[in-house]
Amino acid sequence: MGVVFGTFSMHTKQVTFRTDNVDDELEMTMVCHRPEGLEQLEAQTNFTKQELQVLYRGFKNECPSGVVNEETFKHIYAQFFPHGDASTYAHYLFNAFDTRNDGSIKFEDFVMGLSTLLRGTVREKLEWTFHLYDINRDGFINKEEMTEIVRAIYDMMGKYTYPALKGDVPKQHVDVFFEKMDKNKDGVVTLEEFVLACQEDENMMRSMQLFENVM
């Protein structure tokens, strides 16, 4: 699972952080939005203070104001998928990070989500994925929502990644997995159904965590 944001990137299997001898907390006063103190974020995430300093410097380089709006997020994300259209997936991903629902991602939002994706338990990662797929935030995933996300991923990866797709592959993909997830056949998938199905089926786990390969 690779994670990229702007010009800095990390790979979950071999994350290398470089510690600069700078007072990042002092520099936080220089931006429009001042994040929570690093000690507090260290307590709330699975990152060390030194790792948070590196993440903050990268975030600030891309977002000098201390916040990123959706258009900026889409622009940054599109650079990493030149052969496809990343705008729709970036929209849904932005909403998943925008936990305050105020149309912006602050450093705290970004690092809290990143902590879950990089260092969280399997359960935590699946819960985060569920909320990504739950587009209308009603606590359930319906087939249309799942299809929207999967189709957005295929569109983003582009024709060079999937040159020989025939038919509506995203829909076919969703039909198979939705059938397995919707245990009581009521037309929606709950968080518990989602987690249980993914834990029971390794292929489903990989497929539902497609976001891990496109972060």
Side-chain angles (χ1 to χ4, degrees):
M1 170 175 64
V3 177
V4 295
F5 193 94
T7 56
F8 72 98
S9 63
M10 304 193 309
H11 196 284
T12 55
K13 294 182 180 178
Q14 47 182 22
V15 181
T16 301
F17 288 96
R18 178 175 57 84
T19 303
D20 293 333
N21 294 321
V22 295
D23 189 352
D24 291 279
E25 290 186 275
L26 177 61
E27 292 185 20
M28 287 181 181
T29 62
M30 305 290 288
V31 298
C32 297
H33 172 73
R34 185 178 188 277
E36 299 171 4
L38 291 185
E39 288 85 359
Q40 185 174 346
L41 287 175
E42 183 179 11
Q44 294 174 333
T45 68
N46 297 312
F47 295 124
T48 66
K49 184 175 180 179
Q50 288 72 31
E51 291 170 341
L52 288 166
Q53 287 175 334
V54 175
L55 286 170
Y56 178 70
R57 288 178 65 80
F59 188 91
K60 191 181 64 174
N61 284 340
E62 290 297 327
C63 315
S65 68
V67 297
V68 57
N69 61 29
E70 184 173 339
E71 289 308 308
T72 301
F73 187 85
K74 286 180 177 179
H75 175 72
I76 293 171
Y77 213 74
Q79 298 175 46
F80 295 92
F81 299 94
H83 301 304
D85 180 359
S87 60
T88 302
Y89 184 76
H91 165 73
Y92 293 131
L93 192 62
F94 179 89
N95 287 343
F97 275 103
D98 179 17
T99 56
R100 296 178 175 83
N101 298 315
D102 63 359
S104 66
I105 299 175
K106 301 174 179 63
F107 179 68
E108 303 97 296
D109 304 323
F110 174 65
V111 80
M112 291 290 286
L114 201 62
S115 174
T116 298
L117 296 176
L118 290 175
R119 305 275 175 83
T121 64
V122 171
R123 170 82 188 200
E124 289 170 340
K125 291 179 180 181
L126 288 174
E127 288 179 355
W128 200 96
T129 308
F130 179 88
H131 293 304
L132 172 67
Y133 280 81
D134 179 17
I135 296 173
N136 66 5
R137 299 292 186 265
D138 65 351
F140 303 94
I141 300 174
N142 60 44
K143 189 175 289 187
E144 289 73 23
E145 288 175 317
M146 189 176 291
T147 303
E148 279 288 313
I149 298 292
V150 173
R151 195 183 304 281
I153 291 173
Y154 276 92
D155 288 345
M156 178 173 61
M157 301 309 287
K159 62 182 180 180
Y160 294 101
T161 305
Y162 300 104
L165 289 182
K166 295 180 180 179
D168 193 345
V169 174
K171 183 178 183 302
Q172 296 167 13
H173 176 101
V174 169
D175 285 344
V176 171
F177 287 118
F178 202 89
E179 179 73 18
K180 293 181 180 180
M181 287 184 179
D182 186 13
K183 302 289 188 184
N184 61 1
K185 309 304 178 188
D186 63 351
V188 295
V189 173
T190 66
L191 173 61
E192 291 307 318
E193 285 178 323
F194 181 85
V195 171
L196 181 62
C198 289
Q199 290 178 332
E200 289 178 344
D201 190 320
E202 186 175 341
N203 289 329
M204 189 180 299
M205 174 84 79
R206 285 197 298 265
S207 295
M208 287 300 102
Q209 288 187 302
L210 273 173
F211 75 90
E212 292 192 340
N213 298 315
V214 292
M215 277 291 295

